[in-house]
Amino acid sequence: MDSTTLKVCRNQRIHNHKVFKGLAERGKSSMGWFYGFKLHLVCNEKGELLSFYLTKGNVDDRNPRHIKKMTQQLFGKLFADKGYLSKALWEMLFEDGIQLFTKLRKNMKNHIMKMEDKILLRKRAIIETINDELKNHCQVEHSRHRSVNNFIINILGSLTAYCFFPKKPSLNLA
């Protein structure tokens, strides 16, 4: 599970931007401030997309309502980055039969984890690769949208195109 930013314009043009006025919001990611939306994704070990959710740029990744919708049909283990680290989120997902694994922050105590779970947590880079392919090969993010409908169609088209890729990033678990 991970999220990626979808910038709709440069930061200098936020006040002049009219297409997404009232829809897009200013948010902050690890790469700095942006104006736009966040695309939240869940994938499996084969690199196949299981679920996605589009939110405004200022929405917290740990928002329980959004995560609940994305994980409705899922069970088992879910690996995410430190942005999803929350005890309340872990408990909510555990009640639904999902075990959430995240890396720990520097000031947190280490906890016991099975070796295979530690290895899978290190392989979480698959979703980062999927985000990169969506942005660079499928052009999910660009700043030339002239309508909201065009923006939505572009996102759906990019996600669909990715689903038809013959070779996706995956784990060799066999």
Side-chain angles (χ1 to χ4, degrees):
M1 173 189 279
D2 199 13
S3 67
T4 187
T5 60
L6 298 179
K7 301 172 191 167
V8 296
C9 71
R10 287 181 162 177
N11 287 338
Q12 297 93 330
R13 297 191 175 115
I14 292 173
H15 300 292
N16 298 333
H17 193 79
K18 296 176 185 170
V19 176
F20 295 104
K21 195 169 201 137
L23 293 175
E25 290 289 337
R26 190 179 269 185
K28 188 173 184 186
S29 69
S30 59
M31 301 300 289
W33 290 94
F34 70 98
Y35 181 71
F37 300 92
K38 281 186 181 178
L39 180 63
H40 304 266
L41 299 171
V42 177
C43 74
N44 62 11
E45 74 280 356
K46 297 174 188 170
E48 299 165 341
L49 295 179
L50 300 177
S51 180
F52 73 95
Y53 202 84
L54 186 69
T55 62
K56 293 181 177 189
N58 61 353
V59 173
D60 186 12
D61 288 349
R62 299 169 294 184
N63 188 318
R65 195 177 78 206
H66 301 140
I67 292 179
K68 191 98 165 155
K69 287 181 182 178
M70 284 182 14
T71 60
Q72 262 180 344
Q73 305 294 320
L74 301 180
F75 58 91
K77 297 178 181 182
L78 184 64
F79 296 91
D81 61 1
K82 293 178 193 175
Y84 294 91
L85 193 58
S86 164
K87 186 173 182 177
L89 178 63
W90 187 90
E91 290 172 354
M92 180 193 78
L93 290 172
F94 192 76
E95 288 174 3
D96 293 339
I98 300 172
Q99 209 174 354
L100 179 65
F101 291 92
T102 61
K103 287 190 175 179
L104 298 176
R105 293 194 181 103
K106 291 177 184 175
N107 61 351
M108 295 177 74
K109 291 182 181 176
N110 201 359
H111 59 88
I112 298 172
M113 187 186 302
K114 291 182 183 176
M115 185 55 89
E116 60 255 19
D117 293 336
K118 280 188 177 186
I119 292 169
L120 287 172
L121 187 58
R122 279 190 274 160
K123 300 294 185 182
R124 201 195 60 76
I126 283 180
I127 193 112
E128 302 293 345
T129 307
I130 292 171
N131 285 337
D132 182 61
E133 287 189 4
L134 283 170
K135 285 186 173 184
N136 294 323
H137 297 290
C138 300
Q139 283 89 36
V140 75
E141 178 187 49
H142 68 79
S143 60
R144 299 175 307 276
H145 297 292
R146 299 294 171 246
S147 72
V148 176
N149 290 339
N150 181 19
F151 173 71
I152 298 298
I153 293 298
N154 183 62
I155 290 174
L156 293 175
S158 298
L159 293 173
T160 304
Y162 173 79
C163 290
F164 284 105
F165 278 8
K167 190 172 182 185
K168 297 178 181 73
S170 62
L171 292 177
N172 296 328
L173 296 177

